Amino acid sequence: MNAVVQAVAETRHLLSGNEAVARAVWEAGVKVAAAYPGTPSTEILENIALYPDVYSEWAVNEKVSIEVAIGASIMGARAFCAMKHVGMNVASDAFMTQTLAGVVGGLVIVVTDDVGLSSSQNEQDSRYWGRFGHMPILEPADSQEAYEMVKGAFALSEELNSPVIVRMTTRVCHVKAMVTVGERETHEPAGFEKDPARWVLTPAAARARIPWMFERDGKLREFAEASALNRIVEGGDRRVGFLTSGPAAMHVQEAFPDAPLFKLGFSCPAPIGRIRAFAGTVERLVVVEEGEPLLEQELKAAGIDCHGKDILPRMGEMGPDVLLPAVKPLLGEPWEAPVGHRRQSLFPRPPTMCVACPHLGPYFTLSRLRNVIISGDIGCYTLGAGHPWNALDTTISMGASMGVALGMDKGRGATDGKKAVVAVIGDSTFLHMGMQGLLDITYNRGNVTVLLLDNRAVGMTGGQDHAGTGRDIHGEEAPRVDFVKLVQALGVKPERTHVVDPYELPTLFKVLRQETKIEEPSVIITNQPCVLIDDYEKHQPYKVVDEACTGCGNCLDVGCPAIFVTRRDKAVKPSGKEVDLAFVRIETAACTGCNLCVETCAPDAIVHAAPTHSVKFQ
Amino acid sequence: MTDKDVTNILVVGIGGQGVMTAAEILAQTAIVQGFDVKKTEVAGMAQRGGVVSSHVRFGPKVLSPKIVTGTADILVGFEAAEAMRWSDHLRPEGVAMVNTLRLEPPVVSLGLYDYPEDPIGAMREAGVNVYAFDAGAIALELGDLRLVNTVMLGAIADHLPFPAEVLEEQIVARFRARKPKLVTANEQAFARGRAAARAAGRAEAATA
């Protein structure tokens, strides 16, 4: 991790967009920063936490993170929060009111869009929040711009009396590029000034703010028209000109180096006047947007003729490989892709659970249960939908497993009458948004069995700490929530609350069977840590005794990626039925000795092996 | 069109193998040589045993961080099938430096898909200039599988637009401060990787 915490002003460093944002936040004199981890935004707060003079925290969810930042801004401190695109949905309740109240200390929110869906449940365009919340959106294209725009956004926020969203995408967050850094400014909080007419948003107070907000809209438009963040990159070939923002601007320059380009840095509200003037200087205008045809529609509504999603894809990144074949035909130049080597067709390699993951047992168990409907959640739990478990029926959004399960229970028709409804959720996910759902299950007497898989980490994003781990963002000791007491406080009966070791399959089976038969809410909490965090303890690895392996393949159903097939065969049972056999080996170097496969092995063919060099691959 | 002054290196493998660290070191070395650099990867879910690819681009000025299909100068493959998967990204005269390791994912173990019989042969058949050798064996001989990273970087050292020593220094400097014991092992890994690639190149030339 390159935090450049010690870097001196005017030095150049190779920084990811996220690291550059962290540096900018520190330099801008920010006092309070909060976030909930989410790809591709996670590293922003991880890096801010390395600067000792910024208060930083993992909040339980994005709404709370923005509330913390709002509170600090009201005190006059510069405040920051970061989240991924779907996190903004969670935060939006607080955010949509704050945009009406404005700020005291500069308030900047970085929202990161997962263009191309590398690890999210949807692809959404956060530029809409600017229109929705009547506030500015800035769009950096690389690390240097991310650094400059975030740093400048605090002053802009104070000047315009508005929160500012800096919209980044994966190709800014996770691209490393050269950045020249500066120094930290000091901004002492102005102190709290009582002003209930502004801060107590009763209908009467809020109503009075709306004309003020419309007035601000006008100011924002003037700012956008004048802003140096909106700039034209001249080009000699005026047959086509481009309007774009963010990393798409880099892709356009790469693909069409001679074409004029209007690059929007201050993209909301759009500087329609300058765009109209630019459109007049080129034969055709092409709007290149990663996400929705938002600008395209605004331009068309303003009577500016342009191409956009009529020639470009509606989803994914606008890389040179996408732009060239789409735009070249406009110029009457057929596009021929670079002659490389032919594409090879190959098996897919989807993400899977790690070797010895404590979730393997619960998903193996669920895959063996008949007549269950399983409501899943986001994070590593989603991987349970894959092979070999196929043990998830839904995944909607973070924490939704609870409410969806209750709805399934209440909405069941005659054909589903006897099916048990199980909800699976992780520890951090439960604290993020699951608690309220569980309360709804108990309050409304739902018949749902909840599996709360506590692995003491936000696993999918890299094992960050949260209110259930006993550590804070700096790894310092912190109060740890007691999940048993918590679920009981939410109305689960003590006799319906169980804590189970996820590596003990017989117990897991027994408890799950029992609870799915009982028609009231129950919670089964598992209690082993994520294999990627320091709390995880390795044991002596296992190997397979070749002569003893009968090829039954039961161990493969656990789904541990350290088990490999060495040979396949067929056998005929006494009943005449043909069965497939798969003889296996265990990659001893990867095995952590969790014992799960041993429990599934009927002929006791799996025995301890001498430890070898440890391998980290999953 | 891609600027000819820009060098494109694509490093591929599986989550947890050290692909990103290798790319990071390449990028750092390019900085030391005074180039503009951009580096990007697909992370997130890839850490869970999925495909990892890291694009490293450097030159006088780099715009887009992505390497366009058919324009990579060097493909560094930490695993045989992953090298095959990405070989269409190489330009015709590009070089594929491949670790012969075969890592079968659970979907193959479960019998849902086949792992290719001979990924390196398939690449050669498609006309790819492949240098293949067992980097894992070299690393293990030197005492630590994690040295695969350095072995692979040593292997491409003769194909870079800067001297091998500059790259080696970047690797070794990382250990000199924190883990001095590993300096010698990494120097050896670098040299062995470089030698292995030369031997693989000669073998390739002999069969061509």
Side-chain angles (χ1 to χ4, degrees), chain A residues 14 119 171 175-176 251 254 339 341 343-344 346-347 349 351-352 387 459-460 563-565 568 618, chain B residues 1 24 31 38-40 45 47-48 57 64 79 81-82 85 88 92 103-104 108-109 111-112 127:
Chain A
L14 183 71
S119 51
R171 291 285 180 213
V175 170
K176 287 208 173 188
H251 299 319
E254 179 97 29
V339 188
H341 298 284
R343 198 178 167 81
Q344 305 268 4
L346 203 59
F347 61 86
R349 201 186 284 273
T352 185
H387 299 295
M460 181 60 92
I563 306 177
F564 294 89
V565 173
R568 292 185 193 280
Q618 279 96 38
Chain B
M1 196 53 237
E24 177 95 22
I31 294 171
K38 280 210 171 110
K39 171 177 113 51
T40 185
M45 302 258 276
Q47 287 170 15
R48 306 288 170 267
R57 307 192 71 213
S64 168
E79 197 268 356
E82 289 314 313
R85 187 190 307 279
D88 65 330
L103 260 181
E104 297 180 9
V108 170
S109 297
L112 300 166

Side-chain angles (χ1 to χ4, degrees), chain A residues 322-464:
Chain A
V322 170
L323 292 169
L324 285 160
V327 180
K328 282 276 184 183
L330 279 186
L331 305 170
E333 296 171 11
W335 165 245
E336 282 170 36
V339 188
H341 298 284
R342 75 163 180 264
R343 198 178 167 81
Q344 305 268 4
S345 88
L346 203 59
F347 61 86
R349 201 186 284 273
T352 185
M353 290 199 220
C354 303
V355 171
C357 171
H359 302 339
L360 294 174
Y363 277 111
F364 172 73
T365 311
L366 286 171
S367 73
R368 287 291 193 269
L369 286 186
R370 302 239 172 273
N371 284 322
V372 287
I373 301 170
I374 304 162
S375 167
D377 224 290
I378 68 118
C380 295
Y381 322 96
T382 313
L383 300 174
H387 299 295
W389 319 279
N390 302 306
L392 271 198
D393 293 306
T394 62
T395 302
I396 308 295
S397 65
M398 193 177 276
S401 58
M402 301 284 123
V404 169
L406 178 63
M408 287 172 150
D409 175 40
K410 299 294 184 186
R412 68 175 79 222
T415 51
D416 296 320
K418 292 217 170 104
K419 285 178 186 156
V421 178
V422 175
V424 188
I425 192 164
D427 45 349
S428 182
T429 311
F430 181 73
L431 297 175
H432 176 282
M433 274 289 161
M435 291 191 283
Q436 294 88 343
L438 179 59
L439 183 59
D440 209 44
I441 290 171
T442 57
Y443 174 62
N444 291 304
R445 297 169 289 267
N447 177 14
V448 176
T449 305
V450 174
L451 263 172
L452 203 177
L453 305 183
D454 177 12
N455 64 358
R456 263 178 271 164
V458 191
M460 181 60 92
T461 47
Q464 287 78 12

Side-chain angles (χ1 to χ4, degrees), chain B residues 139-205:
Chain B
L140 280 179
E141 258 180 61
L142 294 172
D144 194 338
L145 194 57
R146 282 174 296 184
L147 290 166
V148 160
N149 236 327
T150 306
V151 174
M152 293 308 289
L153 289 175
I156 61 166
D158 286 341
H159 303 271
L160 296 167
F162 40 72
E165 292 67 33
V166 187
L167 176 59
E168 187 178 4
E169 175 52 28
Q170 283 300 312
I171 299 167
V172 171
R174 296 187 154 228
F175 295 99
R176 204 175 282 133
R178 280 175 299 173
K179 294 176 184 168
K181 280 183 191 162
L182 291 175
V183 167
T184 313
N186 275 280
E187 283 169 349
Q188 286 171 342
F190 191 85
R192 291 282 304 273
R194 202 172 171 192
R198 284 177 180 172
R202 281 195 296 274
E204 178 87 347

